[in-house]
Amino acid sequence: MELVYLWVDKYKNIKNQGFNFSPRFTCSYDGENLTINKKEHVSIFPKNINITAIVGENGSGKSSIFEKLYSSFGTRLYIILSNNQFEIYTPLTDIKIQNNTAKLHSINKERLPQVHFSWDILHYEPVIDYFSYMKNNPNILLNMLGTFSHPEYMDLNSYQNNSVIKYIEIFTKNSINIFSFSPTKINIKLFMKKNENEWDCKKIRKEIEKLKFHEEEAKAKKKAYFRTISKYIKKYLQDGSNERNFTLEEYNLLIHELEDMKEVLSRFPAFMLDIYDNDISFFSLSHGERSILLSNALLYESAMDTKNQGILICLDEPDLSLHPEWQKKYINELVKMFSKIAKNFHFLITSHSPFILSDMPKENVIFLEKGKQVYPKIETFGANIHTLLSHGFFMKDGLMGEFAKEKITEILDYLKNNKPLKSIKEEQVKSIIEKIGEDFLRQKLLNMYNIKFSIKSKDDEIEELKAEIERLNNVQNQA
């Protein structure tokens, strides 16, 4: 399955605009006629994977495209290619298709099979009603923020333990070896001891009271939570310790043995979970490693849970907050993992990272400017990141930070045009110039500074000394 084309009538800054997602076809639509033309193309990705990067500055429409794929409002049509057959999803019945035959589907009744992931959990709509927000938001990261019994409740305190619980579930269900972190044991700590030998039952009840439940079940749930925690302590912490290691088999037995145990581990704040691959703790990994492991695990679960053989996966800035080293690895890790799954995937990835872009052939990139697809003259695949960044599409005003640029411009105006200094003291000028990392610019400004203050450079001093030596030699020879 491959997304080929999307047309949006009007949404935010997108107006009457079409977007070509496939490197194999070029589509155009004028409000009445739809044209589909085939292009010569050889894919560099595995047979079951296609990747399209969407790039542009903030506000260019990247995230709006994802929203329109998920919501049919304002969308005139989109085209997918499935089993070599074009399928057009549109509310129109009189659309004229040029150069091709295709099946028409109602956009309101048929849904493109898709998975959405974004680190921005508040992205898709303003949060007025958390119940509706958690139910309707397509972002699969919310699986980590809701409670297992009531996913419509957002609980940020549960995120760490939910990450461990979810990762174990996905890893246990996994039938093929795709994860680079393979947990062998689970460590569970409970911080509720009054002293070395006594558990603080009063505090346990107090913490349970703070948790939110549906009104009709609150009383029974609170009793069940306390009963479960008490049984856990009695059976597994009778040696006085506040922690216990479990194998995967022991953990799964624990979850099924004690009432609501998974829910208690998720919600009760005094429990702390971690998993180990041999002696390596999940939370000892770098943020980038954990981010990639967790996001890929969630994507894998969503892909396997859907019955469709072809899936559109929308990743909104998945490399956000990743160290450049992990940005370099991101596409490769994604391809290695999903190439092992017997389904077809079309990844749409929004990003600002030149590393992501350098893994994409130009025909696999949608360049956006103010809600429109543009076609800059730039080759992306295997390109040097400095070349990509220096291109006008990405950096219209140079590669220097604005703070440094303002300081250097102020110094330049002072040295060249005698403009008064505003944010810099005169005695700071030379020190700032010497800090400049770009060699040519630093030397140029130093020369201007030396001329302005009649300071001789080392080269000038050397020349003067040479001249003086030559003069003295001449005097000696005449004597």
Side-chain angles (χ1 to χ4, degrees):
M1 190 280 297
E2 180 180 9
L3 178 65
V4 177
Y5 186 69
L6 170 72
W7 175 275
V8 178
D9 282 345
K10 184 178 180 181
Y11 183 70
K12 294 185 177 179
N13 63 335
I14 303 175
K15 296 180 181 179
N16 298 323
Q17 179 66 35
F19 303 95
N20 283 286
F21 290 88
S22 173
R24 298 190 291 161
F25 305 95
T26 300
C27 302
S28 61
Y29 177 65
D30 61 8
E32 182 178 351
N33 298 292
L34 173 65
T35 303
I36 305 173
N37 291 316
K38 188 174 182 179
K39 298 191 298 184
E40 291 295 324
H41 173 69
V42 178
S43 176
I44 63 170
F45 298 114
K47 287 185 177 180
N48 69 323
I49 290 177
N50 185 30
I51 304 178
T52 302
I54 306 174
V55 299
E57 62 185 18
N58 290 333
S60 62
K62 301 187 300 296
S63 298
S64 298
I65 289 177
F66 282 3
E67 293 171 26
K68 283 299 93 194
L69 288 171
Y70 185 74
S71 167
S72 61
F73 181 76
T75 304
R76 178 65 65 92
L77 63 88
Y78 57 80
I79 306 171
I80 66 170
L81 184 65
S82 180
N83 297 322
N84 294 318
Q85 172 71 54
F86 285 106
E87 299 187 6
I88 301 174
Y89 292 78
T90 176
L92 305 176
T93 57
D94 57 348
I95 188 169
K96 298 177 182 178
I97 306 170
Q98 310 292 325
N99 306 342
N100 217 291
T101 59
K103 292 182 180 179
L104 289 177
H105 300 273
S106 169
I107 201 170
N108 296 316
K109 293 181 181 178
E110 299 288 341
R111 212 40 174 305
L112 181 65
Q114 54 190 289
V115 173
H116 287 247
F117 178 87
S118 172
W119 291 112
D120 184 359
I121 60 171
L122 303 180
H123 166 71
Y124 281 88
E125 56 186 298
V127 180
I128 300 172
D129 169 13
Y130 273 106
F131 181 88
S132 299
Y133 175 79
M134 295 292 282
K135 285 286 188 182
N136 299 324
N137 194 307
N139 188 0
I140 59 174
L141 183 63
L142 294 180
N143 293 339
M144 298 292 95
L145 301 177
T147 68
F148 288 103
S149 60
H150 300 294
E152 68 274 11
Y153 285 156
M154 183 180 287
D155 185 359
L156 294 176
N157 290 327
S158 300
Y159 180 76
Q160 176 170 329
N161 285 355
N162 279 355
S163 299
V164 170
I165 294 169
K166 177 61 75 172
Y167 194 90
I168 294 171
E169 285 183 353
I170 298 171
F171 179 81
T172 303
K173 289 190 297 184
N174 173 34
S175 58
I176 53 179
N177 184 22
I178 58 172
F179 297 118
S180 57
F181 185 88
S182 302
T184 55
K185 67 179 179 181
I186 301 96
N187 177 266
I188 302 177
K189 292 184 176 73
L190 177 59
F191 298 97
M192 274 287 145
K193 297 197 78 173
K194 186 182 293 186
N195 52 55
E196 285 188 12
N197 302 312
E198 189 178 2
W199 291 93
D200 196 337
C201 295
K202 185 177 180 180
K203 191 173 181 181
I204 292 174
R205 289 186 184 276
K206 188 176 180 180
E207 290 299 321
I208 292 174
E209 285 295 326
K210 294 178 182 179
L211 300 175
K212 291 183 178 181
F213 299 95
H214 287 178
E215 186 176 349
E216 66 275 9
E217 66 174 9
K219 188 175 181 180
K221 276 286 186 182
K222 289 174 183 178
K223 286 183 178 179
Y225 272 35
F226 184 79
R227 187 166 56 246
T228 297
I229 294 171
S230 299
K231 287 181 179 180
Y232 175 79
I233 292 172
K234 186 176 181 180
K235 182 167 184 178
Y236 295 103
L237 301 176
Q238 68 269 40
D239 61 353
S241 173
N242 74 327
E243 66 178 302
R244 170 74 182 265
N245 290 323
F246 296 84
T247 65
L248 292 183
E249 293 77 14
E250 290 170 340
Y251 169 80
N252 288 322
L253 182 63
L254 167 69
I255 293 300
H256 292 94
E257 179 185 14
L258 296 182
E259 178 186 9
D260 293 327
M261 189 64 200
K262 183 171 80 168
E263 191 177 324
V264 171
L265 289 174
S266 165
R267 300 201 63 199
F268 191 64
F271 274 112
M272 183 177 292
L273 278 62
D274 199 355
I275 45 179
Y276 288 79
D277 183 348
N278 294 317
D279 293 326
I280 301 174
S281 159
F282 183 74
F283 290 103
S284 71
L285 300 176
S286 70
H287 176 267
E289 289 176 287
R290 295 200 312 274
S291 298
I292 290 177
L293 283 169
L294 186 57
S295 61
N296 283 355
L298 291 172
L299 291 172
Y300 170 79
E301 180 187 47
S302 299
M304 298 307 292
D305 283 349
T306 181
K307 296 178 181 178
N308 299 88
Q309 285 301 112
I311 305 167
L312 180 69
I313 298 182
C314 301
L315 306 176
D316 194 8
E317 298 187 23
D319 54 316
L320 197 65
S321 81
L322 291 184
H323 186 277
E325 187 65 30
W326 283 102
Q327 293 180 24
K328 282 174 58 179
K329 297 177 180 179
Y330 187 82
I331 294 297
N332 197 41
E333 292 294 318
L334 199 68
V335 169
K336 284 195 298 185
M337 178 175 177
F338 283 87
S339 62
K340 298 176 183 178
I341 302 174
K343 292 189 177 188
N344 296 314
F345 301 98
H346 188 172
F347 291 92
L348 305 185
I349 303 177
T350 66
S351 178
H352 295 286
S353 170
F355 293 109
I356 298 286
L357 202 60
S358 70
D359 278 335
M360 298 288 111
K362 180 180 179 180
E363 56 268 26
N364 286 71
V365 181
I366 292 178
F367 298 89
L368 293 181
E369 278 189 355
K370 298 178 180 179
K372 294 183 178 181
Q373 185 171 0
V374 295
Y375 301 89
K377 294 180 179 180
I378 180 173
E379 295 299 329
T380 54
F381 182 70
N384 184 292
I385 64 165
H386 300 291
T387 302
L388 292 174
L389 283 174
S390 62
H391 192 278
F393 178 81
F394 299 101
M395 301 293 287
K396 294 181 173 60
D397 202 20
L399 295 174
M400 187 183 296
E402 285 298 316
F403 180 79
K405 183 179 177 181
E406 284 188 7
K407 297 297 180 187
I408 291 171
T409 300
E410 184 177 345
I411 289 173
L412 180 63
D413 286 340
Y414 168 67
L415 297 175
K416 185 178 181 181
N417 304 317
N418 290 317
K419 287 188 176 181
L421 295 168
K422 296 178 180 178
S423 65
I424 302 171
K425 295 179 181 179
E426 186 176 289
E427 58 267 25
Q428 294 177 309
V429 171
K430 186 175 182 182
S431 176
I432 293 174
I433 293 174
E434 290 173 340
K435 288 180 171 64
I436 296 174
E438 211 288 311
D439 292 341
F440 177 80
L441 178 60
R442 181 179 65 249
Q443 191 57 51
K444 190 73 175 176
L445 289 175
L446 277 175
N447 291 341
M448 294 174 67
Y449 180 87
N450 292 337
I451 292 171
K452 182 177 180 69
F453 291 98
S454 301
I455 298 174
K456 297 175 182 178
S457 69
K458 290 182 180 179
D459 289 339
D460 291 338
E461 290 180 356
I462 290 171
E463 290 301 319
E464 287 185 5
L465 289 172
K466 285 181 178 179
E468 179 64 14
I469 291 171
E470 184 176 354
R471 185 187 70 79
L472 291 172
N473 285 334
N474 291 335
V475 169
Q476 187 176 25
N477 291 335
Q478 291 175 1

